[in-house]
Amino acid sequence: MSTPTADTFLTATSFIARANLLLAQIQGLGAEAPRNKVEGMMRLWQKWRTMQGGGVTWERDGELLEWCMARYQDNLGAEWLAPFTNNFAPPAPSFDEELEALLAGEEPLVVSMAAKG
C-alpha cells in the first residue's frame, strides 16, 4: 500500500468525518430512507472506493456497504438504481447453481431474484 501524501490524508479524513455524520443520520431509516439519501449514500460509497489508494482506512466502510446493499435490494427494479447495479446487485447465479435449483424442483434463481423487484 502506498504512503498517503498530506493532501490525500486530509482529504480522506475530512471525507470520513462527513460520511460518518451522514451515515449516523440515515442508519435508523432503513427501508424508509428517502431516495435522495439512498442515492447519496451509494455515491458516497462509490467515491470512497476511488479514494482507498490513499492509504487511509475507514472502519465504517463495511457498514456503509451493507446499508447500501440492503437499500439496493429494497428498491430493486427502480429505474434510478441502474448506475449502482454493478456495485450492489447480487452476482448472477452460475449455470451449475441454476441447474441444481431446477433439478431440485426449485424456482429458477434468476427468476426468483428478478421477482423481488
Side-chain angles (χ1 to χ4, degrees):
M1 181 179 279
S2 63
T3 305
T5 65
D7 287 342
T8 303
F9 183 81
L10 288 174
T11 299
T13 52
S14 174
F15 175 89
I16 289 170
R18 291 174 185 203
N20 283 341
L21 284 173
L22 285 170
L23 187 56
Q25 288 177 5
I26 59 144
Q27 268 187 316
L29 298 175
E32 303 302 314
R35 172 187 161 176
N36 65 329
K37 295 280 189 192
V38 174
E39 193 172 357
M41 292 309 282
M42 288 181 168
R43 289 195 192 289
L44 191 68
W45 185 81
Q46 289 175 326
K47 176 69 173 165
W48 175 251
R49 284 184 60 207
T50 65
M51 294 174 64
Q52 283 183 327
V56 179
T57 58
W58 180 23
E59 70 283 353
R60 297 183 77 183
D61 175 43
E63 197 176 330
L64 177 58
L65 173 59
E66 278 184 38
W67 190 90
C68 289
M69 289 178 73
R71 298 303 71 79
Y72 180 89
Q73 290 300 319
D74 291 340
N75 294 285
L76 204 58
E79 189 176 310
W80 62 272
L81 279 178
F84 307 104
T85 297
N86 288 339
N87 289 316
F88 302 109
S94 70
F95 177 76
D96 290 337
E97 291 171 320
E98 199 61 52
L99 188 57
E100 283 179 31
L102 289 169
L103 289 172
E106 298 171 6
E107 183 179 355
L109 297 172
V110 173
V111 172
S112 61
M113 286 191 323
K116 289 182 181 178

PDB file of all heavy atoms in Angstrom, residues 32-59:
ATOM      1  N   GLU A  32     -37.072   2.905   4.895  1.00  0.00           N
ATOM      2  CA  GLU A  32     -37.847   4.145   4.822  1.00  0.00           C
ATOM      3  C   GLU A  32     -37.016   5.339   4.360  1.00  0.00           C
ATOM      4  O   GLU A  32     -37.542   6.444   4.225  1.00  0.00           O
ATOM      5  CB  GLU A  32     -38.463   4.461   6.197  1.00  0.00           C
ATOM      6  CG  GLU A  32     -39.341   3.349   6.743  1.00  0.00           C
ATOM      7  CD  GLU A  32     -40.500   2.979   5.818  1.00  0.00           C
ATOM      8  OE1 GLU A  32     -41.174   3.895   5.321  1.00  0.00           O
ATOM      9  OE2 GLU A  32     -40.701   1.781   5.580  1.00  0.00           O
ATOM     10  N   ALA A  33     -35.735   5.136   4.154  1.00  0.00           N
ATOM     11  CA  ALA A  33     -34.864   6.238   3.736  1.00  0.00           C
ATOM     12  C   ALA A  33     -35.335   6.802   2.406  1.00  0.00           C
ATOM     13  O   ALA A  33     -35.637   6.049   1.481  1.00  0.00           O
ATOM     14  CB  ALA A  33     -33.420   5.759   3.616  1.00  0.00           C
ATOM     15  N   PRO A  34     -35.414   8.134   2.303  1.00  0.00           N
ATOM     16  CA  PRO A  34     -35.826   8.724   1.027  1.00  0.00           C
ATOM     17  C   PRO A  34     -34.812   8.434  -0.074  1.00  0.00           C
ATOM     18  O   PRO A  34     -33.626   8.258   0.187  1.00  0.00           O
ATOM     19  CB  PRO A  34     -35.896  10.222   1.314  1.00  0.00           C
ATOM     20  CG  PRO A  34     -35.439  10.430   2.702  1.00  0.00           C
ATOM     21  CD  PRO A  34     -35.135   9.112   3.327  1.00  0.00           C
ATOM     22  N   ARG A  35     -35.311   8.405  -1.291  1.00  0.00           N
ATOM     23  CA  ARG A  35     -34.479   8.065  -2.440  1.00  0.00           C
ATOM     24  C   ARG A  35     -33.204   8.909  -2.514  1.00  0.00           C
ATOM     25  O   ARG A  35     -32.126   8.384  -2.767  1.00  0.00           O
ATOM     26  CB  ARG A  35     -35.298   8.242  -3.723  1.00  0.00           C
ATOM     27  CG  ARG A  35     -34.451   8.099  -4.961  1.00  0.00           C
ATOM     28  CD  ARG A  35     -35.206   8.424  -6.203  1.00  0.00           C
ATOM     29  NE  ARG A  35     -34.279   8.705  -7.271  1.00  0.00           N
ATOM     30  CZ  ARG A  35     -34.616   8.946  -8.509  1.00  0.00           C
ATOM     31  NH1 ARG A  35     -35.874   8.936  -8.842  1.00  0.00           N
ATOM     32  NH2 ARG A  35     -33.723   9.199  -9.422  1.00  0.00           N
ATOM     33  N   ASN A  36     -33.297  10.210  -2.297  1.00  0.00           N
ATOM     34  CA  ASN A  36     -32.112  11.057  -2.432  1.00  0.00           C
ATOM     35  C   ASN A  36     -31.044  10.686  -1.406  1.00  0.00           C
ATOM     36  O   ASN A  36     -29.849  10.746  -1.686  1.00  0.00           O
ATOM     37  CB  ASN A  36     -32.461  12.538  -2.348  1.00  0.00           C
ATOM     38  CG  ASN A  36     -33.009  12.962  -1.003  1.00  0.00           C
ATOM     39  OD1 ASN A  36     -33.665  12.185  -0.309  1.00  0.00           O
ATOM     40  ND2 ASN A  36     -32.775  14.198  -0.632  1.00  0.00           N
ATOM     41  N   LYS A  37     -31.465  10.245  -0.214  1.00  0.00           N
ATOM     42  CA  LYS A  37     -30.493   9.816   0.804  1.00  0.00           C
ATOM     43  C   LYS A  37     -29.841   8.495   0.390  1.00  0.00           C
ATOM     44  O   LYS A  37     -28.643   8.310   0.534  1.00  0.00           O
ATOM     45  CB  LYS A  37     -31.167   9.640   2.164  1.00  0.00           C
ATOM     46  CG  LYS A  37     -31.720  10.901   2.754  1.00  0.00           C
ATOM     47  CD  LYS A  37     -30.642  11.707   3.400  1.00  0.00           C
ATOM     48  CE  LYS A  37     -31.261  12.861   4.177  1.00  0.00           C
ATOM     49  NZ  LYS A  37     -30.292  13.827   4.598  1.00  0.00           N
ATOM     50  N   VAL A  38     -30.652   7.578  -0.111  1.00  0.00           N
ATOM     51  CA  VAL A  38     -30.119   6.286  -0.552  1.00  0.00           C
ATOM     52  C   VAL A  38     -29.127   6.500  -1.693  1.00  0.00           C
ATOM     53  O   VAL A  38     -28.001   5.991  -1.669  1.00  0.00           O
ATOM     54  CB  VAL A  38     -31.260   5.344  -1.009  1.00  0.00           C
ATOM     55  CG1 VAL A  38     -30.694   4.056  -1.596  1.00  0.00           C
ATOM     56  CG2 VAL A  38     -32.196   5.037   0.148  1.00  0.00           C
ATOM     57  N   GLU A  39     -29.542   7.263  -2.678  1.00  0.00           N
ATOM     58  CA  GLU A  39     -28.676   7.520  -3.829  1.00  0.00           C
ATOM     59  C   GLU A  39     -27.400   8.231  -3.392  1.00  0.00           C
ATOM     60  O   GLU A  39     -26.298   7.898  -3.838  1.00  0.00           O
ATOM     61  CB  GLU A  39     -29.434   8.369  -4.856  1.00  0.00           C
ATOM     62  CG  GLU A  39     -28.765   8.444  -6.195  1.00  0.00           C
ATOM     63  CD  GLU A  39     -29.634   9.125  -7.241  1.00  0.00           C
ATOM     64  OE1 GLU A  39     -30.791   9.497  -6.970  1.00  0.00           O
ATOM     65  OE2 GLU A  39     -29.131   9.284  -8.359  1.00  0.00           O
ATOM     66  N   GLY A  40     -27.526   9.189  -2.491  1.00  0.00           N
ATOM     67  CA  GLY A  40     -26.363   9.916  -1.990  1.00  0.00           C
ATOM     68  C   GLY A  40     -25.385   9.012  -1.265  1.00  0.00           C
ATOM     69  O   GLY A  40     -24.173   9.105  -1.457  1.00  0.00           O
ATOM     70  N   MET A  41     -25.910   8.110  -0.431  1.00  0.00           N
ATOM     71  CA  MET A  41     -25.022   7.211   0.300  1.00  0.00           C
ATOM     72  C   MET A  41     -24.356   6.201  -0.633  1.00  0.00           C
ATOM     73  O   MET A  41     -23.201   5.835  -0.445  1.00  0.00           O
ATOM     74  CB  MET A  41     -25.775   6.492   1.417  1.00  0.00           C
ATOM     75  CG  MET A  41     -26.203   7.424   2.547  1.00  0.00           C
ATOM     76  SD  MET A  41     -24.871   8.475   3.225  1.00  0.00           S
ATOM     77  CE  MET A  41     -24.022   7.317   4.270  1.00  0.00           C
ATOM     78  N   MET A  42     -25.067   5.766  -1.673  1.00  0.00           N
ATOM     79  CA  MET A  42     -24.456   4.867  -2.645  1.00  0.00           C
ATOM     80  C   MET A  42     -23.327   5.577  -3.385  1.00  0.00           C
ATOM     81  O   MET A  42     -22.252   5.012  -3.601  1.00  0.00           O
ATOM     82  CB  MET A  42     -25.506   4.337  -3.621  1.00  0.00           C
ATOM     83  CG  MET A  42     -26.445   3.342  -2.992  1.00  0.00           C
ATOM     84  SD  MET A  42     -27.649   2.739  -4.198  1.00  0.00           S
ATOM     85  CE  MET A  42     -28.338   1.356  -3.307  1.00  0.00           C
ATOM     86  N   ARG A  43     -23.553   6.819  -3.746  1.00  0.00           N
ATOM     87  CA  ARG A  43     -22.494   7.589  -4.418  1.00  0.00           C
ATOM     88  C   ARG A  43     -21.313   7.808  -3.472  1.00  0.00           C
ATOM     89  O   ARG A  43     -20.158   7.779  -3.884  1.00  0.00           O
ATOM     90  CB  ARG A  43     -23.029   8.925  -4.915  1.00  0.00           C
ATOM     91  CG  ARG A  43     -23.964   8.778  -6.073  1.00  0.00           C
ATOM     92  CD  ARG A  43     -24.215  10.094  -6.793  1.00  0.00           C
ATOM     93  NE  ARG A  43     -25.329   9.971  -7.704  1.00  0.00           N
ATOM     94  CZ  ARG A  43     -25.319   9.287  -8.833  1.00  0.00           C
ATOM     95  NH1 ARG A  43     -24.237   8.645  -9.206  1.00  0.00           N
ATOM     96  NH2 ARG A  43     -26.387   9.228  -9.604  1.00  0.00           N
ATOM     97  N   LEU A  44     -21.631   8.007  -2.202  1.00  0.00           N
ATOM     98  CA  LEU A  44     -20.588   8.192  -1.197  1.00  0.00           C
ATOM     99  C   LEU A  44     -19.709   6.947  -1.112  1.00  0.00           C
ATOM    100  O   LEU A  44     -18.477   7.039  -1.092  1.00  0.00           O
ATOM    101  CB  LEU A  44     -21.254   8.454   0.159  1.00  0.00           C
ATOM    102  CG  LEU A  44     -20.386   8.916   1.295  1.00  0.00           C
ATOM    103  CD1 LEU A  44     -19.868  10.325   1.014  1.00  0.00           C
ATOM    104  CD2 LEU A  44     -21.185   8.917   2.586  1.00  0.00           C
ATOM    105  N   TRP A  45     -20.332   5.784  -1.081  1.00  0.00           N
ATOM    106  CA  TRP A  45     -19.564   4.545  -1.013  1.00  0.00           C
ATOM    107  C   TRP A  45     -18.705   4.377  -2.269  1.00  0.00           C
ATOM    108  O   TRP A  45     -17.537   4.004  -2.188  1.00  0.00           O
ATOM    109  CB  TRP A  45     -20.486   3.338  -0.826  1.00  0.00           C
ATOM    110  CG  TRP A  45     -19.693   2.089  -0.639  1.00  0.00           C
ATOM    111  CD1 TRP A  45     -19.101   1.656   0.513  1.00  0.00           C
ATOM    112  CD2 TRP A  45     -19.353   1.146  -1.651  1.00  0.00           C
ATOM    113  NE1 TRP A  45     -18.418   0.487   0.276  1.00  0.00           N
ATOM    114  CE2 TRP A  45     -18.553   0.142  -1.035  1.00  0.00           C
ATOM    115  CE3 TRP A  45     -19.643   1.031  -3.007  1.00  0.00           C
ATOM    116  CZ2 TRP A  45     -18.048  -0.945  -1.740  1.00  0.00           C
ATOM    117  CZ3 TRP A  45     -19.138  -0.056  -3.698  1.00  0.00           C
ATOM    118  CH2 TRP A  45     -18.355  -1.027  -3.063  1.00  0.00           C
ATOM    119  N   GLN A  46     -19.281   4.704  -3.435  1.00  0.00           N
ATOM    120  CA  GLN A  46     -18.507   4.608  -4.677  1.00  0.00           C
ATOM    121  C   GLN A  46     -17.322   5.566  -4.644  1.00  0.00           C
ATOM    122  O   GLN A  46     -16.217   5.232  -5.078  1.00  0.00           O
ATOM    123  CB  GLN A  46     -19.399   4.900  -5.889  1.00  0.00           C
ATOM    124  CG  GLN A  46     -20.393   3.790  -6.162  1.00  0.00           C
ATOM    125  CD  GLN A  46     -21.354   4.150  -7.279  1.00  0.00           C
ATOM    126  OE1 GLN A  46     -21.730   5.308  -7.448  1.00  0.00           O
ATOM    127  NE2 GLN A  46     -21.770   3.153  -8.031  1.00  0.00           N
ATOM    128  N   LYS A  47     -17.532   6.765  -4.113  1.00  0.00           N
ATOM    129  CA  LYS A  47     -16.447   7.752  -4.009  1.00  0.00           C
ATOM    130  C   LYS A  47     -15.350   7.224  -3.091  1.00  0.00           C
ATOM    131  O   LYS A  47     -14.165   7.343  -3.385  1.00  0.00           O
ATOM    132  CB  LYS A  47     -17.013   9.076  -3.475  1.00  0.00           C
ATOM    133  CG  LYS A  47     -15.987  10.140  -3.226  1.00  0.00           C
ATOM    134  CD  LYS A  47     -15.398  10.666  -4.499  1.00  0.00           C
ATOM    135  CE  LYS A  47     -14.500  11.856  -4.198  1.00  0.00           C
ATOM    136  NZ  LYS A  47     -13.654  12.171  -5.323  1.00  0.00           N
ATOM    137  N   TRP A  48     -15.743   6.617  -1.977  1.00  0.00           N
ATOM    138  CA  TRP A  48     -14.748   6.073  -1.056  1.00  0.00           C
ATOM    139  C   TRP A  48     -13.888   5.023  -1.737  1.00  0.00           C
ATOM    140  O   TRP A  48     -12.681   4.968  -1.541  1.00  0.00           O
ATOM    141  CB  TRP A  48     -15.421   5.485   0.181  1.00  0.00           C
ATOM    142  CG  TRP A  48     -14.422   4.825   1.070  1.00  0.00           C
ATOM    143  CD1 TRP A  48     -14.272   3.491   1.275  1.00  0.00           C
ATOM    144  CD2 TRP A  48     -13.380   5.466   1.809  1.00  0.00           C
ATOM    145  NE1 TRP A  48     -13.206   3.269   2.112  1.00  0.00           N
ATOM    146  CE2 TRP A  48     -12.642   4.458   2.455  1.00  0.00           C
ATOM    147  CE3 TRP A  48     -12.998   6.788   1.985  1.00  0.00           C
ATOM    148  CZ2 TRP A  48     -11.555   4.736   3.267  1.00  0.00           C
ATOM    149  CZ3 TRP A  48     -11.908   7.063   2.800  1.00  0.00           C
ATOM    150  CH2 TRP A  48     -11.205   6.046   3.421  1.00  0.00           C
ATOM    151  N   ARG A  49     -14.506   4.194  -2.555  1.00  0.00           N
ATOM    152  CA  ARG A  49     -13.748   3.151  -3.258  1.00  0.00           C
ATOM    153  C   ARG A  49     -12.658   3.768  -4.124  1.00  0.00           C
ATOM    154  O   ARG A  49     -11.586   3.189  -4.264  1.00  0.00           O
ATOM    155  CB  ARG A  49     -14.679   2.305  -4.118  1.00  0.00           C
ATOM    156  CG  ARG A  49     -15.495   1.331  -3.295  1.00  0.00           C
ATOM    157  CD  ARG A  49     -16.329   0.438  -4.153  1.00  0.00           C
ATOM    158  NE  ARG A  49     -15.497  -0.347  -5.051  1.00  0.00           N
ATOM    159  CZ  ARG A  49     -15.905  -0.818  -6.223  1.00  0.00           C
ATOM    160  NH1 ARG A  49     -17.130  -0.607  -6.632  1.00  0.00           N
ATOM    161  NH2 ARG A  49     -15.102  -1.512  -6.989  1.00  0.00           N
ATOM    162  N   THR A  50     -12.906   4.924  -4.717  1.00  0.00           N
ATOM    163  CA  THR A  50     -11.891   5.551  -5.570  1.00  0.00           C
ATOM    164  C   THR A  50     -10.777   6.179  -4.740  1.00  0.00           C
ATOM    165  O   THR A  50      -9.690   6.409  -5.248  1.00  0.00           O
ATOM    166  CB  THR A  50     -12.504   6.633  -6.490  1.00  0.00           C
ATOM    167  OG1 THR A  50     -13.006   7.703  -5.693  1.00  0.00           O
ATOM    168  CG2 THR A  50     -13.605   6.063  -7.352  1.00  0.00           C
ATOM    169  N   MET A  51     -11.036   6.453  -3.452  1.00  0.00           N
ATOM    170  CA  MET A  51     -10.038   7.101  -2.594  1.00  0.00           C
ATOM    171  C   MET A  51      -9.195   6.105  -1.814  1.00  0.00           C
ATOM    172  O   MET A  51      -8.203   6.483  -1.204  1.00  0.00           O
ATOM    173  CB  MET A  51     -10.729   8.025  -1.586  1.00  0.00           C
ATOM    174  CG  MET A  51     -11.420   9.212  -2.202  1.00  0.00           C
ATOM    175  SD  MET A  51     -12.347  10.149  -0.968  1.00  0.00           S
ATOM    176  CE  MET A  51     -11.049  10.736   0.085  1.00  0.00           C
ATOM    177  N   GLN A  52      -9.539   4.847  -1.799  1.00  0.00           N
ATOM    178  CA  GLN A  52      -8.875   3.888  -0.930  1.00  0.00           C
ATOM    179  C   GLN A  52      -7.380   3.765  -1.161  1.00  0.00           C
ATOM    180  O   GLN A  52      -6.668   3.382  -0.251  1.00  0.00           O
ATOM    181  CB  GLN A  52      -9.533   2.512  -1.030  1.00  0.00           C
ATOM    182  CG  GLN A  52     -10.817   2.450  -0.257  1.00  0.00           C
ATOM    183  CD  GLN A  52     -11.427   1.062  -0.294  1.00  0.00           C
ATOM    184  OE1 GLN A  52     -11.295   0.346  -1.278  1.00  0.00           O
ATOM    185  NE2 GLN A  52     -12.096   0.694   0.760  1.00  0.00           N
ATOM    186  N   GLY A  53      -6.904   4.091  -2.318  1.00  0.00           N
ATOM    187  CA  GLY A  53      -5.475   4.017  -2.589  1.00  0.00           C
ATOM    188  C   GLY A  53      -4.670   5.018  -1.795  1.00  0.00           C
ATOM    189  O   GLY A  53      -3.459   4.978  -1.773  1.00  0.00           O
ATOM    190  N   GLY A  54      -5.341   5.927  -1.102  1.00  0.00           N
ATOM    191  CA  GLY A  54      -4.645   6.942  -0.319  1.00  0.00           C
ATOM    192  C   GLY A  54      -4.031   6.422   0.967  1.00  0.00           C
ATOM    193  O   GLY A  54      -3.362   7.159   1.675  1.00  0.00           O
ATOM    194  N   GLY A  55      -4.259   5.159   1.300  1.00  0.00           N
ATOM    195  CA  GLY A  55      -3.651   4.587   2.487  1.00  0.00           C
ATOM    196  C   GLY A  55      -4.367   4.897   3.783  1.00  0.00           C
ATOM    197  O   GLY A  55      -3.845   4.657   4.856  1.00  0.00           O
ATOM    198  N   VAL A  56      -5.556   5.457   3.721  1.00  0.00           N
ATOM    199  CA  VAL A  56      -6.328   5.774   4.915  1.00  0.00           C
ATOM    200  C   VAL A  56      -7.451   4.762   5.034  1.00  0.00           C
ATOM    201  O   VAL A  56      -8.121   4.451   4.052  1.00  0.00           O
ATOM    202  CB  VAL A  56      -6.915   7.207   4.830  1.00  0.00           C
ATOM    203  CG1 VAL A  56      -7.734   7.535   6.056  1.00  0.00           C
ATOM    204  CG2 VAL A  56      -5.797   8.218   4.649  1.00  0.00           C
ATOM    205  N   THR A  57      -7.647   4.217   6.238  1.00  0.00           N
ATOM    206  CA  THR A  57      -8.714   3.238   6.420  1.00  0.00           C
ATOM    207  C   THR A  57      -9.922   3.900   7.080  1.00  0.00           C
ATOM    208  O   THR A  57      -9.791   4.845   7.857  1.00  0.00           O
ATOM    209  CB  THR A  57      -8.253   2.061   7.302  1.00  0.00           C
ATOM    210  OG1 THR A  57      -7.813   2.558   8.556  1.00  0.00           O
ATOM    211  CG2 THR A  57      -7.134   1.287   6.630  1.00  0.00           C
ATOM    212  N   TRP A  58     -11.085   3.377   6.747  1.00  0.00           N
ATOM    213  CA  TRP A  58     -12.344   3.866   7.317  1.00  0.00           C
ATOM    214  C   TRP A  58     -13.042   2.659   7.917  1.00  0.00           C
ATOM    215  O   TRP A  58     -13.495   1.770   7.200  1.00  0.00           O
ATOM    216  CB  TRP A  58     -13.186   4.515   6.227  1.00  0.00           C
ATOM    217  CG  TRP A  58     -14.496   5.049   6.666  1.00  0.00           C
ATOM    218  CD1 TRP A  58     -14.867   5.432   7.930  1.00  0.00           C
ATOM    219  CD2 TRP A  58     -15.639   5.293   5.838  1.00  0.00           C
ATOM    220  NE1 TRP A  58     -16.155   5.893   7.930  1.00  0.00           N
ATOM    221  CE2 TRP A  58     -16.653   5.822   6.664  1.00  0.00           C
ATOM    222  CE3 TRP A  58     -15.894   5.111   4.492  1.00  0.00           C
ATOM    223  CZ2 TRP A  58     -17.904   6.167   6.172  1.00  0.00           C
ATOM    224  CZ3 TRP A  58     -17.129   5.466   4.011  1.00  0.00           C
ATOM    225  CH2 TRP A  58     -18.121   5.991   4.838  1.00  0.00           C
ATOM    226  N   GLU A  59     -13.134   2.633   9.233  1.00  0.00           N
ATOM    227  CA  GLU A  59     -13.674   1.462   9.918  1.00  0.00           C
ATOM    228  C   GLU A  59     -15.149   1.202   9.624  1.00  0.00           C
ATOM    229  O   GLU A  59     -15.633   0.094   9.813  1.00  0.00           O
ATOM    230  CB  GLU A  59     -13.447   1.563  11.437  1.00  0.00           C
ATOM    231  CG  GLU A  59     -14.272   2.616  12.150  1.00  0.00           C
ATOM    232  CD  GLU A  59     -13.792   4.065  11.996  1.00  0.00           C
ATOM    233  OE1 GLU A  59     -12.708   4.292  11.427  1.00  0.00           O
ATOM    234  OE2 GLU A  59     -14.526   4.965  12.433  1.00  0.00           O
TER     235      GLU A  59
END
